[in-house]
Amino acid sequence: MVLPIRAFGDPVLKKVASDIEQGHAGLDQLVKDMFETMYAANGVGLAAPQVGQSIRLFVVDTHAGSDDEDGEAAPEGMEPEPRLKRVFINAYIMEEEGQEWGFEEGCLSIPGIREEVDRQPRITLRYQDEKFEEHEEEFVGFAARVIQHEHDHLDGILFTDHLPPLRKRLIQGKLRDISMGKTDAKYPMRFVPKK
Ligand code: NI
């Protein structure tokens, strides 16, 4: 089932999400629905707070929208990378390394806005998979960036929070419009009801 995506301005997007335990009610269905929702919106990552659940869960598919299963597709100017399709539970970034690089990010909760965000290229992530097996793994490049973006959602951070003050000021009007439901997103969204 495709779930409505919470729009900028929803308080759930600003909350720090909680760890979950094995046997978490409805988890299998939620993971399925999150992949479906992400694909319907042409996203490469989706975090549980974006569908209204303040839990440490996100899904990633770096090749969403491409027919190619083994990884020819890559953002322009980047080396082709293997496809990363995975469920991340209780994920924490342990380390970030390397020279920051800029890349234009977007977010399904902030439709129509893309801005360059600087992030470090190499991360070490501790997480559990959908079977709650523990992993500590290194990710680089685009995969690392998608994980950093989704991991931010678990801490109540949006990519717009990383922008320099001037850029932030320039998009303020657009952000307000989104929070009030003025957007032409092609997927179902949920906005905070007007008071
Ligand atoms: Ni996002």
Side-chain angles (χ1 to χ4, degrees):
M1 184 176 57
V2 172
L3 306 169
I5 294 178
R6 302 297 178 103
F8 181 90
D10 193 310
V12 74
L13 297 175
K14 300 305 290 176
K15 278 172 74 175
V16 176
S18 310
D19 284 343
I20 56 171
E21 283 174 18
Q22 195 158 16
H24 184 87
L27 182 62
D28 290 352
Q29 187 61 45
L30 178 61
V31 166
K32 238 177 111 199
D33 290 346
M34 282 177 61
F35 273 113
E36 210 179 316
T37 302
M38 180 179 78
Y39 292 136
N42 280 317
V44 291
L46 183 70
Q50 295 181 275
V51 293
Q53 302 236 20
S54 193
I55 57 175
R56 290 193 89 84
L57 161 68
F58 59 85
V59 298
V60 167
D61 185 349
T62 56
H63 287 238
S66 93
D67 307 329
D68 187 6
E69 292 285 318
D70 350 282
E72 291 311 310
E76 216 175 314
M78 293 182 64
E79 293 290 307
E81 288 181 20
R83 179 182 194 163
L84 176 71
K85 181 184 174 185
R86 207 164 299 171
V87 179
F88 294 92
I89 294 170
N90 301 334
Y92 291 89
I93 293 177
M94 309 311 291
E95 219 176 327
E96 293 181 288
E97 296 163 90
Q99 181 71 45
E100 284 191 348
W101 63 294
F103 183 79
E104 257 196 16
E105 294 189 17
C107 180
L108 297 179
S109 294
I110 314 177
I113 297 184
R114 297 192 71 84
E115 290 286 337
E116 187 157 309
V117 178
D118 291 328
R119 298 188 192 268
Q120 290 181 279
R122 181 178 293 272
I123 63 167
T124 307
L125 189 79
R126 187 179 290 170
Y127 69 96
Q128 291 164 292
D129 60 25
E130 62 269 52
K131 294 179 186 121
F132 283 82
E133 271 160 37
E134 290 271 358
H135 301 268
E136 190 169 304
E137 196 174 341
E138 209 174 75
F139 298 93
V140 296
F142 185 63
R145 178 169 291 268
V146 175
I147 290 169
Q148 286 162 318
H149 177 116
E150 300 312 325
H151 179 269
D152 269 353
H153 275 298
L154 307 182
D155 291 331
I157 297 166
L158 301 171
F159 82 85
T160 48
D161 295 321
H162 291 293
L163 301 178
L166 177 64
R167 291 306 313 167
K168 233 185 258 183
R169 220 170 313 139
L170 287 172
I171 60 169
Q172 213 147 54
K174 279 200 230 168
L175 290 174
R176 201 176 314 123
D177 284 351
I178 292 168
S179 70
M180 293 189 307
K182 279 184 242 163
T183 161
D184 50 7
K186 301 283 185 292
Y187 45 88
M189 295 196 77
R190 201 183 127 172
F191 305 92
V192 179
K194 289 193 192 70
K195 297 208 177 83

